[in-house]
Amino acid sequence: MSSRKPRPPSGRSADKYSVLLPTYNERENLPLIVWLLVKYFGESGYEYEIIVIDDGSPDGTLDVAQQLQNIYGEDKILLRPRAKKLGLGTAYIHGIKHATGNFIFIMDADLSHHPKFIPEFIRLQKEGDLDLVSGTRYKGNGGVYGWDLRRKLISRGANFLTQVLLRPGASDLTGSFRLYKKQVLEKLVERCVSKGYVFQMEMIVRARQLHYTIGEVPISFVDRVYGESKLGGNEIVSFAKGLLTLFATT
């Protein structure tokens, strides 16, 4: 019985995918998301690496990441921790510096984003040589599961206001499951000034300004099983301020 990995479609073997996983208190979720990533990338045959960017989690997330590195190998699991929480945008900048792939996936480590959609992201990107592919909860058979009515209203309301004010040309601006060409992500991160939940929204708006090509894959977003949601009143206020700032400056 052959132990060779399945080969990706002809002409794709030069591509490598770096997955950036910013973490904070994700010790229960990290082993599961890493196992799923290894499974689906292994089945696809594409080269990959998983870069864990832990921001000083007090729950021992980094210790778990080190154990995963021992299991899967230092070539597949890269640990690039930071001393404390410094924001999502700077986490991506930090991860990009260490990424060796020519494509970069960003996604949540809390199992909200299932790696089973990764092959569809790759397929769509290849079909149109797209600069950016974004997962969407608000198109096709995409959806949200596990949220209460309040969370759903906040998300829908934020997305509706964004569509009206910014006309971004994408159906889901606040999602954070995306595939970028590495050089595109580098340019977008350099231009973005927002923090928190507004950061993902600004990335799409800036991509439109720079005339990058954008595709969307319907995804099922599932609320975290372990840990607590990081969405609070402060994040909602920051989102509103950020939206108004983007409306005034774009």
Side-chain angles (χ1 to χ4, degrees), residues 12 15 17 46 102-103 121-130 133:
R12 310 298 194 216
D15 292 328
Y17 296 84
Y46 286 102
N102 56 322
F103 288 93
F121 276 71
I122 295 175
R123 183 195 65 77
L124 183 62
Q125 190 283 321
K126 298 299 179 193
E127 281 185 355
D129 190 28
L130 300 174
V133 177

Side-chain angles (χ1 to χ4, degrees), residues 44 80 89 106 169 197-198 210 243:
S44 74
R80 298 295 181 263
I106 63 169
Y197 291 89
V198 184
L210 295 171
L243 176 59

Side-chain angles (χ1 to χ4, degrees), residues 88-89 106 132 162 166 168 172-175 178 180 184-185 187-210 212 214 238-239 241-247 249-250:
L88 193 60
I106 63 169
L132 157 61
T162 302
L166 302 180
D172 189 347
L173 268 73
T174 56
R178 296 175 184 168
Y180 293 89
V184 169
L185 181 58
K187 290 179 181 178
L188 289 175
V189 168
E190 286 176 1
R191 287 175 173 263
C192 288
V193 298
S194 302
K195 296 181 180 180
Y197 291 89
V198 184
F199 177 81
Q200 301 292 4
M201 180 172 64
E202 185 179 358
M203 292 280 278
I204 293 290
V205 173
R206 300 299 178 194
R208 182 201 62 188
Q209 286 183 326
L210 295 171
Y212 287 133
I214 303 172
S238 296
F239 175 86
K241 290 180 178 179
L243 176 59
L244 293 174
T245 298
L246 284 176
F247 176 67
T249 60
T250 60

Side-chain angles (χ1 to χ4, degrees), residues 25-30 32-33 36 108-114 145-147 151 221-230:
N25 288 348
E26 299 290 359
R27 64 170 294 128
E28 291 95 350
N29 294 315
L30 190 60
L32 293 172
I33 192 68
L36 287 167
D108 293 344
D110 62 4
L111 299 174
S112 296
H113 302 141
H114 201 297
Y145 302 91
W147 276 2
R151 286 290 300 275
F221 178 95
V222 181
D223 196 21
R224 61 167 54 243
V225 177
Y226 300 108
E228 297 180 356
S229 171
K230 299 173 180 68

Side-chain angles (χ1 to χ4, degrees), residues 53-67:
I53 307 150
D54 186 65
D55 276 3
S57 298
D59 73 339
T61 297
L62 184 57
D63 293 335
V64 172
Q66 290 170 339
Q67 295 176 40

Side-chain angles (χ1 to χ4, degrees), residues 39-57:
K39 168 182 166 61
Y40 284 99
F41 271 112
E43 291 176 354
S44 74
Y46 286 102
E47 286 295 316
Y48 71 96
E49 63 185 4
I50 302 167
I51 303 176
V52 180
I53 307 150
D54 186 65
D55 276 3
S57 298

